[in-house]
Amino acid sequence: MVQLLEVNNLHVQVEGKEILKGVTLAVKAGEVHALMGPNGSGKSTLASVLMGHPGYEITQGSATFLGQNLLAMKPEERSRMGVFLAFQYPVAVPGLTAEHFLRTAFNAHREARGEKPLNPMDFRTLVQAELDRLQMKPELLERGLNDGFSGGEKKRLEILQLAVLKPQLAVLDETDSGLDVDAMKLVAQGVNSLLGFAMGVLVITHYQRLLHYLKPTHVHVMVNGRMAKSAGPELVQAVENSGYDQFTVAHA
Amino acid sequence: MINLRLPMPSQLKYPAGSYQYGFHDEVKPVYAIPPGLSERVVEEISHIKNEPTWMRERRLKALAAFEARRVPTWGADLSGIDFQSICYYLKPSERQAASWDKVPEKIKQTFDKLGIPQAEAKFLSGVGAQYDSEAVYHNLKEEWKKQGVIFMDMDSGLREHPEIVKQYFGTVIPLNDNKFAALNTAAWSGGSFVYVPRGVQVTAPLQAYFRLNAQNMGQFERTLIVAEEGSFVTYVEGCTAPVYAVDSLHCAVVEIIAKPYSRVRYTTMQNWSNDVYNLVTKRAVALEGATVEWVDGNFGSKVTMKYPSVFMKGRGSRADILSLAYAGPGQHQDAGAKVVHLAPDTCSNIVSKSISRGGGRTSYRGLLHVAAQAKHSKAKVKCDALIMDPASRSDTYPTNDVRTREVQTEHEATVSKVGEEQLFYLRARGLSENEAASLIVAGFIEPIARELPMEYAVELNRLIELEMEGSVG
């Protein structure tokens, strides 16, 4: 399968403090990589850095997407190339309807591919199909983006965006937090259906629950800014049984 | 104090003795009134317009009031105004003769980007001939005529309906109300005169657009709206295209009289060129059960000071004020609203939104006054400021003067910064930084945009996009 993401010995600082201390990771199309690890180990930092958050300083290492230097691209360029980050804490933009936002984003992607923008009617038809699949109410789209949304609504809207934009690489940053089991199943179904389109996934989670529905092909445990262990799906069980201490100790 | 230099007679290009003989309708003025303000200039303006004596006297009194008052220092910095360099009256023919070539390139580009046809653009720049919309306008005009609605420029209003104008002119905003209202009263030209008879519901908005001609683009417009009992009217003026002013002072007065159970909505959207001092007094009186709504959008200008007001004099009257201000580099928008509750069961609602970026400054200045007799009144003030970058600034100056306990007041103020996180979130979905900033700002002003006529809302969003170009990053 196609090599999507290649991260090599990535070092990242925030305000002089090193958060990522040499991360290496490779994701191919069709693969699901689970990234686990204790709080503060750098998982979300990796997700933000991959998307191009301006608050981080990369001091060493490289990251490429489809062979291109990801780190040299603006966030919007990464998005249009097919990188997607489902945010852990989606930001509210009052007064901007979710639908208008999503259509603008969708058309920005089309434009980048040299396609004509979709008119609001056609876009509504397209998004309605995805809403149905995720069992979401269309009213959500009429409201201000994430404005007054419950935690679960925000996460579902992230997955709706994923489903509409159909990226090649999806980074899910604790998308399962704040979701009940039913919602989680729907989210997993949504992601799984996109795997058929040769999408690669990097899913950050604390819990095994989501991984029941979203079968990982690879599992990584990050501790203190490094990959302490990378293995197959069996690693999930090891984490479940004995926690993260085994890796911290092993590493020390 | 300002030293108002009186021009010597020799400096005036008057034909000898032309102005002191009363009204010379047949005499076409072929001279120009020189810059600067004096009794002579004021009399000359009145003479050219062939006005009744009372108006000429009103102007002269106002001039004295203007001269007696200091430039206010409690608000924006007005020290840059040079009153003696300003032309207080321009013949329409002179406006039209001004050259399109002299309109700054930047403004022309903005017209292009806003998609304003050149004929209209020329007119808006103050250099075009009359903007011809007679065809569209004709049917509406017939309809209004049948209903007895009067809608014309103020000069014609004074000529054709002197008794109505005399009855109401200056009754809401006295000539000595403030320095700039006095200046307007002394030097006014153009503006609109609207009279809606009892019980008449004017369904289509009266758009100043329709009746604009060069004379109405004056910088000392005077507008008077009288809505008789139980009537309804919406008045819309301005547009989002930048108005290029020959002189750098715009000083308008708008008076509204809303008789019992009438409803008047006045919508303005203005975008002055960046060197203009925009100092406007807008006030309405609402009688029993009447509703007055101001929707007021301010873009452009160097300094704007504008606080649409409603004096609720009648029981159960109501004021709704929506104010929007945008300050870019070098601009100060000192805007807000005033509501004065003078009768029981009155209700006011103020929503103010301001955006500052690139070192721009916005101020919300508001007055809430509830008199002792205004029992069981309700007042709500909500002001939100959006600051786009660290160089920009926003302040709030609310004044509350509430003299009864039997009143319900609410005051809410928020200041938000367009955060890196908001921008990043939108960019992470494929929007450029400017697109993201535009969407955030458009969302912020949405509660006001949705109150605008469709075409204005569309223009407003395009204007925001333009303003955001290169604004961040």
Side-chain angles (χ1 to χ4, degrees), chain A residues 53 75-76 79-80 85 91-92 94-95 101 105 108-109 146 158 161, chain B residues 420-422 424-433 439 443-444 446:
Chain A
H53 192 291
E76 56 267 37
S79 167
R80 291 172 197 162
L85 170 63
V91 183
F101 161 62
H109 281 243
N146 292 317
E158 292 295 291
Q161 296 179 44
Chain B
E420 212 170 47
E421 298 306 319
Q422 266 182 332
F424 177 60
Y425 184 65
L426 300 193
R427 293 177 72 190
R429 298 296 181 254
L431 304 178
S432 73
E433 201 165 357
L439 285 182
F444 176 74
E446 191 275 338

PDB file of all heavy atoms in Angstrom, chain A residues 53 75-76 79-80 85 91-92 94-95 101 105 108-109 146 158 161, chain B residues 420-422 424-433 439 443-444 446:
ATOM      1  N   HIS A  53       0.272  23.176  13.641  1.00  0.00           N
ATOM      2  CA  HIS A  53      -0.012  24.214  14.643  1.00  0.00           C
ATOM      3  C   HIS A  53       1.191  25.135  14.792  1.00  0.00           C
ATOM      4  O   HIS A  53       2.322  24.664  14.951  1.00  0.00           O
ATOM      5  CB  HIS A  53      -0.360  23.563  15.988  1.00  0.00           C
ATOM      6  CG  HIS A  53      -0.939  24.539  16.969  1.00  0.00           C
ATOM      7  ND1 HIS A  53      -0.189  25.540  17.540  1.00  0.00           N
ATOM      8  CD2 HIS A  53      -2.197  24.675  17.469  1.00  0.00           C
ATOM      9  CE1 HIS A  53      -0.959  26.253  18.352  1.00  0.00           C
ATOM     10  NE2 HIS A  53      -2.182  25.745  18.325  1.00  0.00           N
ATOM     11  N   PRO A  75      -0.901  24.822   7.479  1.00  0.00           N
ATOM     12  CA  PRO A  75      -1.967  23.888   7.867  1.00  0.00           C
ATOM     13  C   PRO A  75      -2.971  23.657   6.739  1.00  0.00           C
ATOM     14  O   PRO A  75      -3.388  22.520   6.483  1.00  0.00           O
ATOM     15  CB  PRO A  75      -2.645  24.590   9.047  1.00  0.00           C
ATOM     16  CG  PRO A  75      -1.640  25.523   9.588  1.00  0.00           C
ATOM     17  CD  PRO A  75      -0.753  25.916   8.443  1.00  0.00           C
ATOM     18  N   GLU A  76      -3.374  24.765   6.043  1.00  0.00           N
ATOM     19  CA  GLU A  76      -4.375  24.627   4.990  1.00  0.00           C
ATOM     20  C   GLU A  76      -3.859  23.795   3.823  1.00  0.00           C
ATOM     21  O   GLU A  76      -4.617  23.069   3.179  1.00  0.00           O
ATOM     22  CB  GLU A  76      -4.887  25.997   4.521  1.00  0.00           C
ATOM     23  CG  GLU A  76      -3.834  26.983   4.025  1.00  0.00           C
ATOM     24  CD  GLU A  76      -3.326  27.910   5.123  1.00  0.00           C
ATOM     25  OE1 GLU A  76      -3.191  27.438   6.283  1.00  0.00           O
ATOM     26  OE2 GLU A  76      -3.036  29.088   4.832  1.00  0.00           O
ATOM     27  N   SER A  79      -4.069  20.214   4.857  1.00  0.00           N
ATOM     28  CA  SER A  79      -5.458  19.768   4.791  1.00  0.00           C
ATOM     29  C   SER A  79      -5.859  19.453   3.355  1.00  0.00           C
ATOM     30  O   SER A  79      -6.442  18.408   3.070  1.00  0.00           O
ATOM     31  CB  SER A  79      -6.364  20.850   5.379  1.00  0.00           C
ATOM     32  OG  SER A  79      -7.711  20.592   5.078  1.00  0.00           O
ATOM     33  N   ARG A  80      -5.522  20.362   2.451  1.00  0.00           N
ATOM     34  CA  ARG A  80      -5.931  20.168   1.052  1.00  0.00           C
ATOM     35  C   ARG A  80      -5.215  18.992   0.415  1.00  0.00           C
ATOM     36  O   ARG A  80      -5.696  18.402  -0.539  1.00  0.00           O
ATOM     37  CB  ARG A  80      -5.652  21.451   0.252  1.00  0.00           C
ATOM     38  CG  ARG A  80      -6.560  22.597   0.661  1.00  0.00           C
ATOM     39  CD  ARG A  80      -6.120  23.874  -0.012  1.00  0.00           C
ATOM     40  NE  ARG A  80      -6.695  25.049   0.657  1.00  0.00           N
ATOM     41  CZ  ARG A  80      -6.215  26.277   0.508  1.00  0.00           C
ATOM     42  NH1 ARG A  80      -5.162  26.494  -0.268  1.00  0.00           N
ATOM     43  NH2 ARG A  80      -6.772  27.286   1.133  1.00  0.00           N
ATOM     44  N   LEU A  85      -7.091  16.358  10.976  1.00  0.00           N
ATOM     45  CA  LEU A  85      -6.980  16.174  12.420  1.00  0.00           C
ATOM     46  C   LEU A  85      -8.353  16.355  13.046  1.00  0.00           C
ATOM     47  O   LEU A  85      -8.963  17.415  12.917  1.00  0.00           O
ATOM     48  CB  LEU A  85      -6.001  17.205  13.012  1.00  0.00           C
ATOM     49  CG  LEU A  85      -5.952  17.304  14.546  1.00  0.00           C
ATOM     50  CD1 LEU A  85      -5.482  15.991  15.178  1.00  0.00           C
ATOM     51  CD2 LEU A  85      -5.037  18.452  14.982  1.00  0.00           C
ATOM     52  N   VAL A  91     -12.778  23.974  18.485  1.00  0.00           N
ATOM     53  CA  VAL A  91     -12.945  25.371  18.882  1.00  0.00           C
ATOM     54  C   VAL A  91     -14.289  25.903  18.390  1.00  0.00           C
ATOM     55  O   VAL A  91     -14.740  25.550  17.305  1.00  0.00           O
ATOM     56  CB  VAL A  91     -11.798  26.217  18.277  1.00  0.00           C
ATOM     57  CG1 VAL A  91     -11.887  27.664  18.726  1.00  0.00           C
ATOM     58  CG2 VAL A  91     -10.455  25.630  18.663  1.00  0.00           C
ATOM     59  N   ALA A  92     -14.932  26.756  19.181  1.00  0.00           N
ATOM     60  CA  ALA A  92     -16.213  27.342  18.787  1.00  0.00           C
ATOM     61  C   ALA A  92     -15.995  28.620  17.984  1.00  0.00           C
ATOM     62  O   ALA A  92     -15.098  29.399  18.283  1.00  0.00           O
ATOM     63  CB  ALA A  92     -17.054  27.655  20.020  1.00  0.00           C
ATOM     64  N   PRO A  94     -18.685  31.366  17.090  1.00  0.00           N
ATOM     65  CA  PRO A  94     -20.084  31.800  17.132  1.00  0.00           C
ATOM     66  C   PRO A  94     -20.476  32.546  15.855  1.00  0.00           C
ATOM     67  O   PRO A  94     -19.676  33.295  15.304  1.00  0.00           O
ATOM     68  CB  PRO A  94     -20.126  32.751  18.340  1.00  0.00           C
ATOM     69  CG  PRO A  94     -18.922  32.421  19.149  1.00  0.00           C
ATOM     70  CD  PRO A  94     -17.892  31.928  18.178  1.00  0.00           C
ATOM     71  N   GLY A  95     -21.698  32.294  15.415  1.00  0.00           N
ATOM     72  CA  GLY A  95     -22.228  33.023  14.260  1.00  0.00           C
ATOM     73  C   GLY A  95     -21.874  32.404  12.920  1.00  0.00           C
ATOM     74  O   GLY A  95     -22.474  32.732  11.911  1.00  0.00           O
ATOM     75  N   PHE A 101     -19.387  26.725   7.156  1.00  0.00           N
ATOM     76  CA  PHE A 101     -17.980  26.431   7.362  1.00  0.00           C
ATOM     77  C   PHE A 101     -17.561  25.179   6.588  1.00  0.00           C
ATOM     78  O   PHE A 101     -16.576  25.163   5.856  1.00  0.00           O
ATOM     79  CB  PHE A 101     -17.715  26.245   8.862  1.00  0.00           C
ATOM     80  CG  PHE A 101     -16.449  25.508   9.174  1.00  0.00           C
ATOM     81  CD1 PHE A 101     -15.225  26.020   8.793  1.00  0.00           C
ATOM     82  CD2 PHE A 101     -16.491  24.289   9.842  1.00  0.00           C
ATOM     83  CE1 PHE A 101     -14.051  25.333   9.068  1.00  0.00           C
ATOM     84  CE2 PHE A 101     -15.331  23.608  10.115  1.00  0.00           C
ATOM     85  CZ  PHE A 101     -14.107  24.118   9.733  1.00  0.00           C
ATOM     86  N   ALA A 105     -14.966  24.843   3.469  1.00  0.00           N
ATOM     87  CA  ALA A 105     -13.796  23.967   3.540  1.00  0.00           C
ATOM     88  C   ALA A 105     -13.818  22.949   2.402  1.00  0.00           C
ATOM     89  O   ALA A 105     -12.812  22.733   1.715  1.00  0.00           O
ATOM     90  CB  ALA A 105     -13.775  23.257   4.896  1.00  0.00           C
ATOM     91  N   ALA A 108     -12.939  24.559  -0.757  1.00  0.00           N
ATOM     92  CA  ALA A 108     -11.504  24.880  -0.800  1.00  0.00           C
ATOM     93  C   ALA A 108     -10.721  23.643  -1.259  1.00  0.00           C
ATOM     94  O   ALA A 108      -9.779  23.733  -2.042  1.00  0.00           O
ATOM     95  CB  ALA A 108     -11.017  25.358   0.556  1.00  0.00           C
ATOM     96  N   HIS A 109     -11.148  22.482  -0.776  1.00  0.00           N
ATOM     97  CA  HIS A 109     -10.498  21.229  -1.187  1.00  0.00           C
ATOM     98  C   HIS A 109     -10.738  20.955  -2.668  1.00  0.00           C
ATOM     99  O   HIS A 109      -9.837  20.544  -3.384  1.00  0.00           O
ATOM    100  CB  HIS A 109     -11.027  20.065  -0.342  1.00  0.00           C
ATOM    101  CG  HIS A 109     -10.405  19.995   1.011  1.00  0.00           C
ATOM    102  ND1 HIS A 109      -9.641  18.929   1.428  1.00  0.00           N
ATOM    103  CD2 HIS A 109     -10.402  20.869   2.047  1.00  0.00           C
ATOM    104  CE1 HIS A 109      -9.220  19.155   2.667  1.00  0.00           C
ATOM    105  NE2 HIS A 109      -9.681  20.319   3.067  1.00  0.00           N
ATOM    106  N   ASN A 146     -19.649  24.575  16.670  1.00  0.00           N
ATOM    107  CA  ASN A 146     -19.267  24.109  18.015  1.00  0.00           C
ATOM    108  C   ASN A 146     -19.742  25.030  19.139  1.00  0.00           C
ATOM    109  O   ASN A 146     -19.316  24.888  20.280  1.00  0.00           O
ATOM    110  CB  ASN A 146     -17.740  23.941  18.136  1.00  0.00           C
ATOM    111  CG  ASN A 146     -17.239  22.792  17.290  1.00  0.00           C
ATOM    112  OD1 ASN A 146     -17.843  21.728  17.263  1.00  0.00           O
ATOM    113  ND2 ASN A 146     -16.144  23.005  16.580  1.00  0.00           N
ATOM    114  N   GLU A 158     -16.797  16.502  14.334  1.00  0.00           N
ATOM    115  CA  GLU A 158     -15.451  16.238  13.816  1.00  0.00           C
ATOM    116  C   GLU A 158     -15.488  15.071  12.821  1.00  0.00           C
ATOM    117  O   GLU A 158     -14.867  15.125  11.764  1.00  0.00           O
ATOM    118  CB  GLU A 158     -14.476  15.904  14.962  1.00  0.00           C
ATOM    119  CG  GLU A 158     -14.169  17.067  15.898  1.00  0.00           C
ATOM    120  CD  GLU A 158     -13.427  18.199  15.215  1.00  0.00           C
ATOM    121  OE1 GLU A 158     -12.254  18.034  14.848  1.00  0.00           O
ATOM    122  OE2 GLU A 158     -14.045  19.259  15.039  1.00  0.00           O
ATOM    123  N   GLN A 161     -17.049  16.022   9.586  1.00  0.00           N
ATOM    124  CA  GLN A 161     -16.083  16.735   8.744  1.00  0.00           C
ATOM    125  C   GLN A 161     -15.133  15.755   8.072  1.00  0.00           C
ATOM    126  O   GLN A 161     -14.817  15.890   6.887  1.00  0.00           O
ATOM    127  CB  GLN A 161     -15.292  17.739   9.587  1.00  0.00           C
ATOM    128  CG  GLN A 161     -16.171  18.848  10.159  1.00  0.00           C
ATOM    129  CD  GLN A 161     -15.378  19.821  11.020  1.00  0.00           C
ATOM    130  OE1 GLN A 161     -14.285  20.235  10.651  1.00  0.00           O
ATOM    131  NE2 GLN A 161     -15.927  20.181  12.160  1.00  0.00           N
TER     132      GLN A 161
ATOM    133  N   GLU B 420      -5.314  32.219  18.089  1.00  0.00           N
ATOM    134  CA  GLU B 420      -4.551  31.310  17.265  1.00  0.00           C
ATOM    135  C   GLU B 420      -5.325  29.992  17.098  1.00  0.00           C
ATOM    136  O   GLU B 420      -5.329  29.416  16.023  1.00  0.00           O
ATOM    137  CB  GLU B 420      -3.226  31.051  17.985  1.00  0.00           C
ATOM    138  CG  GLU B 420      -2.085  30.806  17.053  1.00  0.00           C
ATOM    139  CD  GLU B 420      -0.765  30.801  17.785  1.00  0.00           C
ATOM    140  OE1 GLU B 420      -0.673  30.129  18.842  1.00  0.00           O
ATOM    141  OE2 GLU B 420       0.173  31.436  17.304  1.00  0.00           O
ATOM    142  N   GLU B 421      -6.003  29.586  18.163  1.00  0.00           N
ATOM    143  CA  GLU B 421      -6.690  28.284  18.110  1.00  0.00           C
ATOM    144  C   GLU B 421      -7.850  28.293  17.125  1.00  0.00           C
ATOM    145  O   GLU B 421      -8.058  27.328  16.398  1.00  0.00           O
ATOM    146  CB  GLU B 421      -7.177  27.870  19.502  1.00  0.00           C
ATOM    147  CG  GLU B 421      -6.070  27.670  20.533  1.00  0.00           C
ATOM    148  CD  GLU B 421      -4.972  26.704  20.084  1.00  0.00           C
ATOM    149  OE1 GLU B 421      -5.285  25.668  19.470  1.00  0.00           O
ATOM    150  OE2 GLU B 421      -3.788  27.004  20.327  1.00  0.00           O
ATOM    151  N   GLN B 422      -8.603  29.428  17.121  1.00  0.00           N
ATOM    152  CA  GLN B 422      -9.706  29.538  16.158  1.00  0.00           C
ATOM    153  C   GLN B 422      -9.177  29.502  14.724  1.00  0.00           C
ATOM    154  O   GLN B 422      -9.692  28.785  13.875  1.00  0.00           O
ATOM    155  CB  GLN B 422     -10.457  30.852  16.363  1.00  0.00           C
ATOM    156  CG  GLN B 422     -11.660  30.744  17.276  1.00  0.00           C
ATOM    157  CD  GLN B 422     -12.387  32.072  17.408  1.00  0.00           C
ATOM    158  OE1 GLN B 422     -11.788  33.138  17.284  1.00  0.00           O
ATOM    159  NE2 GLN B 422     -13.670  31.999  17.670  1.00  0.00           N
ATOM    160  N   PHE B 424      -6.346  28.362  13.674  1.00  0.00           N
ATOM    161  CA  PHE B 424      -5.742  27.063  13.361  1.00  0.00           C
ATOM    162  C   PHE B 424      -6.811  26.031  13.041  1.00  0.00           C
ATOM    163  O   PHE B 424      -6.673  25.237  12.104  1.00  0.00           O
ATOM    164  CB  PHE B 424      -4.858  26.590  14.524  1.00  0.00           C
ATOM    165  CG  PHE B 424      -4.258  25.222  14.322  1.00  0.00           C
ATOM    166  CD1 PHE B 424      -3.416  24.982  13.240  1.00  0.00           C
ATOM    167  CD2 PHE B 424      -4.542  24.180  15.199  1.00  0.00           C
ATOM    168  CE1 PHE B 424      -2.860  23.718  13.041  1.00  0.00           C
ATOM    169  CE2 PHE B 424      -3.990  22.921  15.002  1.00  0.00           C
ATOM    170  CZ  PHE B 424      -3.150  22.689  13.923  1.00  0.00           C
ATOM    171  N   TYR B 425      -7.872  26.057  13.807  1.00  0.00           N
ATOM    172  CA  TYR B 425      -8.948  25.082  13.578  1.00  0.00           C
ATOM    173  C   TYR B 425      -9.506  25.210  12.159  1.00  0.00           C
ATOM    174  O   TYR B 425      -9.674  24.226  11.451  1.00  0.00           O
ATOM    175  CB  TYR B 425     -10.061  25.305  14.607  1.00  0.00           C
ATOM    176  CG  TYR B 425     -11.182  24.305  14.549  1.00  0.00           C
ATOM    177  CD1 TYR B 425     -10.967  22.960  14.844  1.00  0.00           C
ATOM    178  CD2 TYR B 425     -12.468  24.692  14.180  1.00  0.00           C
ATOM    179  CE1 TYR B 425     -12.005  22.038  14.793  1.00  0.00           C
ATOM    180  CE2 TYR B 425     -13.509  23.775  14.126  1.00  0.00           C
ATOM    181  CZ  TYR B 425     -13.268  22.448  14.435  1.00  0.00           C
ATOM    182  OH  TYR B 425     -14.296  21.534  14.375  1.00  0.00           O
ATOM    183  N   LEU B 426      -9.770  26.439  11.737  1.00  0.00           N
ATOM    184  CA  LEU B 426     -10.340  26.629  10.403  1.00  0.00           C
ATOM    185  C   LEU B 426      -9.309  26.328   9.320  1.00  0.00           C
ATOM    186  O   LEU B 426      -9.626  25.769   8.275  1.00  0.00           O
ATOM    187  CB  LEU B 426     -10.879  28.051  10.240  1.00  0.00           C
ATOM    188  CG  LEU B 426     -11.980  28.488  11.214  1.00  0.00           C
ATOM    189  CD1 LEU B 426     -12.630  29.778  10.739  1.00  0.00           C
ATOM    190  CD2 LEU B 426     -13.051  27.432  11.401  1.00  0.00           C
ATOM    191  N   ARG B 427      -8.059  26.698   9.576  1.00  0.00           N
ATOM    192  CA  ARG B 427      -7.013  26.419   8.580  1.00  0.00           C
ATOM    193  C   ARG B 427      -6.788  24.923   8.448  1.00  0.00           C
ATOM    194  O   ARG B 427      -6.493  24.431   7.357  1.00  0.00           O
ATOM    195  CB  ARG B 427      -5.710  27.124   8.969  1.00  0.00           C
ATOM    196  CG  ARG B 427      -5.814  28.631   8.897  1.00  0.00           C
ATOM    197  CD  ARG B 427      -4.523  29.277   9.359  1.00  0.00           C
ATOM    198  NE  ARG B 427      -3.454  29.106   8.369  1.00  0.00           N
ATOM    199  CZ  ARG B 427      -2.189  29.410   8.594  1.00  0.00           C
ATOM    200  NH1 ARG B 427      -1.819  29.907   9.772  1.00  0.00           N
ATOM    201  NH2 ARG B 427      -1.275  29.232   7.658  1.00  0.00           N
ATOM    202  N   ALA B 428      -6.925  24.212   9.551  1.00  0.00           N
ATOM    203  CA  ALA B 428      -6.729  22.759   9.518  1.00  0.00           C
ATOM    204  C   ALA B 428      -7.778  22.074   8.644  1.00  0.00           C
ATOM    205  O   ALA B 428      -7.657  20.896   8.331  1.00  0.00           O
ATOM    206  CB  ALA B 428      -6.766  22.185  10.930  1.00  0.00           C
ATOM    207  N   ARG B 429      -8.820  22.814   8.266  1.00  0.00           N
ATOM    208  CA  ARG B 429      -9.832  22.260   7.355  1.00  0.00           C
ATOM    209  C   ARG B 429      -9.654  22.755   5.927  1.00  0.00           C
ATOM    210  O   ARG B 429     -10.528  22.589   5.095  1.00  0.00           O
ATOM    211  CB  ARG B 429     -11.236  22.619   7.852  1.00  0.00           C
ATOM    212  CG  ARG B 429     -11.573  22.052   9.211  1.00  0.00           C
ATOM    213  CD  ARG B 429     -11.600  20.526   9.210  1.00  0.00           C
ATOM    214  NE  ARG B 429     -11.937  19.997  10.506  1.00  0.00           N
ATOM    215  CZ  ARG B 429     -11.067  19.422  11.337  1.00  0.00           C
ATOM    216  NH1 ARG B 429      -9.805  19.301  10.982  1.00  0.00           N
ATOM    217  NH2 ARG B 429     -11.457  18.970  12.502  1.00  0.00           N
ATOM    218  N   GLY B 430      -8.546  23.480   5.690  1.00  0.00           N
ATOM    219  CA  GLY B 430      -8.246  23.851   4.311  1.00  0.00           C
ATOM    220  C   GLY B 430      -8.496  25.302   3.962  1.00  0.00           C
ATOM    221  O   GLY B 430      -8.367  25.691   2.808  1.00  0.00           O
ATOM    222  N   LEU B 431      -8.859  26.128   4.949  1.00  0.00           N
ATOM    223  CA  LEU B 431      -9.092  27.543   4.659  1.00  0.00           C
ATOM    224  C   LEU B 431      -7.811  28.329   4.857  1.00  0.00           C
ATOM    225  O   LEU B 431      -7.059  28.068   5.787  1.00  0.00           O
ATOM    226  CB  LEU B 431     -10.171  28.101   5.583  1.00  0.00           C
ATOM    227  CG  LEU B 431     -11.500  27.362   5.559  1.00  0.00           C
ATOM    228  CD1 LEU B 431     -12.465  27.984   6.547  1.00  0.00           C
ATOM    229  CD2 LEU B 431     -12.091  27.392   4.163  1.00  0.00           C
ATOM    230  N   SER B 432      -7.581  29.302   3.989  1.00  0.00           N
ATOM    231  CA  SER B 432      -6.398  30.141   4.161  1.00  0.00           C
ATOM    232  C   SER B 432      -6.594  31.004   5.403  1.00  0.00           C
ATOM    233  O   SER B 432      -7.702  31.127   5.923  1.00  0.00           O
ATOM    234  CB  SER B 432      -6.209  31.037   2.936  1.00  0.00           C
ATOM    235  OG  SER B 432      -7.191  32.050   2.944  1.00  0.00           O
ATOM    236  N   GLU B 433      -5.511  31.613   5.833  1.00  0.00           N
ATOM    237  CA  GLU B 433      -5.578  32.425   7.033  1.00  0.00           C
ATOM    238  C   GLU B 433      -6.582  33.574   6.874  1.00  0.00           C
ATOM    239  O   GLU B 433      -7.354  33.883   7.783  1.00  0.00           O
ATOM    240  CB  GLU B 433      -4.184  32.971   7.336  1.00  0.00           C
ATOM    241  CG  GLU B 433      -4.020  33.376   8.768  1.00  0.00           C
ATOM    242  CD  GLU B 433      -2.553  33.559   9.149  1.00  0.00           C
ATOM    243  OE1 GLU B 433      -1.678  33.317   8.299  1.00  0.00           O
ATOM    244  OE2 GLU B 433      -2.304  33.956  10.289  1.00  0.00           O
ATOM    245  N   LEU B 439     -14.219  34.493   8.012  1.00  0.00           N
ATOM    246  CA  LEU B 439     -15.350  33.713   8.523  1.00  0.00           C
ATOM    247  C   LEU B 439     -15.586  33.990  10.008  1.00  0.00           C
ATOM    248  O   LEU B 439     -16.728  34.069  10.454  1.00  0.00           O
ATOM    249  CB  LEU B 439     -15.120  32.215   8.308  1.00  0.00           C
ATOM    250  CG  LEU B 439     -15.288  31.697   6.873  1.00  0.00           C
ATOM    251  CD1 LEU B 439     -15.089  30.195   6.829  1.00  0.00           C
ATOM    252  CD2 LEU B 439     -16.650  32.054   6.293  1.00  0.00           C
ATOM    253  N   GLY B 443     -18.944  35.702  11.290  1.00  0.00           N
ATOM    254  CA  GLY B 443     -19.739  35.042  12.323  1.00  0.00           C
ATOM    255  C   GLY B 443     -20.031  35.973  13.487  1.00  0.00           C
ATOM    256  O   GLY B 443     -21.141  36.033  13.991  1.00  0.00           O
ATOM    257  N   PHE B 444     -19.022  36.745  13.824  1.00  0.00           N
ATOM    258  CA  PHE B 444     -19.144  37.682  14.940  1.00  0.00           C
ATOM    259  C   PHE B 444     -20.233  38.726  14.690  1.00  0.00           C
ATOM    260  O   PHE B 444     -20.997  39.084  15.586  1.00  0.00           O
ATOM    261  CB  PHE B 444     -17.783  38.347  15.156  1.00  0.00           C
ATOM    262  CG  PHE B 444     -17.762  39.415  16.208  1.00  0.00           C
ATOM    263  CD1 PHE B 444     -17.815  39.081  17.553  1.00  0.00           C
ATOM    264  CD2 PHE B 444     -17.684  40.756  15.850  1.00  0.00           C
ATOM    265  CE1 PHE B 444     -17.781  40.073  18.523  1.00  0.00           C
ATOM    266  CE2 PHE B 444     -17.656  41.746  16.817  1.00  0.00           C
ATOM    267  CZ  PHE B 444     -17.713  41.399  18.152  1.00  0.00           C
ATOM    268  N   GLU B 446     -22.712  38.416  12.591  1.00  0.00           N
ATOM    269  CA  GLU B 446     -23.923  37.811  12.024  1.00  0.00           C
ATOM    270  C   GLU B 446     -25.216  38.330  12.646  1.00  0.00           C
ATOM    271  O   GLU B 446     -26.194  38.599  11.926  1.00  0.00           O
ATOM    272  CB  GLU B 446     -23.818  36.278  12.128  1.00  0.00           C
ATOM    273  CG  GLU B 446     -24.866  35.507  11.360  1.00  0.00           C
ATOM    274  CD  GLU B 446     -26.155  35.329  12.123  1.00  0.00           C
ATOM    275  OE1 GLU B 446     -26.125  35.427  13.391  1.00  0.00           O
ATOM    276  OE2 GLU B 446     -27.198  35.113  11.496  1.00  0.00           O
TER     277      GLU B 446
END
